[in-house]
Amino acid sequence: MEEQTLIVLDSIAFQLNGTALAGRVHLEKEDAELCCAWETLLKKVETIASPKAVFRDCTVDAVSGDEVIVEGVALKSRVMAQQLGGRRRLFAYCATCGTETAALEDSLEPLERFWLEELRMELLRQAIGALHREISRRCRIPKLVGMAPGSGDADVWPLSEQSKLFNQLLKGRVTELIGVTLTESLLMLPYKSASGILFAAEHDFAACQLCHRRNCPSRRAEFDSKLWNRSRQDETVL
Ligand code: SF4
């Protein structure tokens, strides 16, 4: 079987909505000096930032009770096996805010560094959006859902699987192609990076539905006890 190549999105267009982002960082609009510093940082980030993503179209060889074999690589996740059901295709990916804004860090005050992290998060969001649109367009898939190692309760798809994603499904080329490195403790650098798999689906799914963590500011879906109970059983969800 012909091996699919890695597709790199390295010129992702982005827009930073200064008003919305100022609200997100609770900028004190009465403080002219702070507002000026905020505008200056926003312009610098707009000038140098370059969010990116890489993905690879992968063939699913087999799906069993608690693992999914993708091109000979065994991914350990009962939830993934259930959600994939009979599908034989998934997309391994990594997306990032990019490394370029690191050049700004040394000159920033602590508050500005906090702002920078928010701006990087927005860049990452837009990189992920561009990745979804590109896969949908190329492969004519109307709806994509995803999973990431370490998201949801610990056993949904363990973080330890991150190295399989980077080194095997993405061929060990993520650093070379988009600048994201994986540390020994399996953290991604830059921190505002995301990796995982995407696949076609008819229903919404997010690992947050299978996550007991309380008060998570990033939660995207309510905990779903029915889905969680089904995820403990040896059957497909579809
Ligand atoms: S609720 Fe928070 S910690 Fe849990 S999977 Fe969602 S984003 Fe991650």
Side-chain angles (χ1 to χ4, degrees):
M1 187 185 302
E2 189 187 341
E3 184 175 290
Q4 295 294 318
T5 54
L6 290 149
I7 310 288
V8 182
L9 311 182
D10 56 4
S11 52
I12 294 174
F14 66 91
Q15 275 193 320
L16 298 177
N17 180 329
T19 308
L21 287 162
R24 222 179 274 166
V25 300
H26 306 295
L27 183 70
E28 290 176 32
K29 293 198 178 115
E30 302 75 33
D31 190 326
E33 204 176 321
L34 270 188
C35 288
C36 181
W38 165 255
E39 288 296 330
T40 303
L41 180 62
L42 200 62
K43 283 203 179 76
K44 283 183 182 168
V45 170
E46 280 172 336
T47 304
I48 67 168
S50 178
K52 301 175 183 66
V54 60
F55 71 93
R56 193 166 156 270
D57 190 345
C58 301
T59 303
V60 175
D61 304 327
V63 176
S64 73
D66 60 358
E67 70 178 17
V68 175
I69 312 293
V70 184
E71 299 179 357
V73 181
L75 303 180
K76 298 281 181 191
S77 170
R78 182 181 298 273
V79 171
M80 189 189 301
Q82 291 174 331
Q83 292 292 328
L84 272 175
R87 294 187 182 83
R88 288 294 177 263
R89 185 185 204 186
L90 59 77
F91 302 87
Y93 76 89
C94 181
T96 180
C97 66
T99 56
E100 293 76 8
T101 58
L104 302 173
E105 280 173 11
D106 286 349
S107 62
L108 298 181
E109 299 294 328
L111 180 59
E112 292 171 312
R113 286 182 184 224
F114 163 70
W115 293 344
L116 180 59
E117 287 309 313
E118 279 299 322
L119 295 174
R120 285 170 168 165
M121 181 55 88
E122 180 59 23
L123 294 168
L124 173 59
R125 280 192 200 100
Q126 295 193 28
I128 292 171
L131 173 72
H132 277 238
R133 287 192 297 278
E134 183 64 15
I135 294 174
S136 293
R137 185 188 67 78
R138 277 177 181 256
C139 306
R140 300 200 174 105
I141 298 175
K143 186 179 187 68
L144 288 162
V145 298
M147 295 182 63
S151 287
D153 282 357
D155 61 351
V156 169
W157 187 15
L159 183 61
S160 55
E161 299 271 298
Q162 186 75 285
S163 52
K164 292 180 186 171
L165 193 65
F166 267 65
N167 297 329
Q168 294 178 270
L169 299 185
L170 293 171
K171 304 294 174 187
R173 297 190 60 204
V174 178
T175 307
E176 167 203 340
L177 294 172
I178 62 167
V180 177
T181 55
L182 195 60
T183 68
E184 280 185 13
S185 53
L186 303 174
L187 280 175
M188 285 176 279
L189 299 175
Y191 291 122
K192 298 300 185 287
S193 301
S195 65
I197 60 161
L198 295 169
F199 47 92
E202 281 108 41
H203 310 286
D204 286 328
F205 170 74
C208 302
Q209 292 172 274
L210 302 171
C211 181
H212 280 88
R213 187 169 159 188
R214 290 174 190 269
N215 305 322
C216 172
S218 306
R219 180 175 283 282
R220 291 184 293 131
E222 292 299 312
F223 179 75
D224 184 333
S225 57
K226 280 191 189 153
L227 188 62
W228 192 88
N229 286 332
R230 273 192 287 168
S231 76
R232 310 284 119 177
Q233 296 161 12
D234 191 9
E235 62 176 33
T236 61
V237 173
L238 295 171

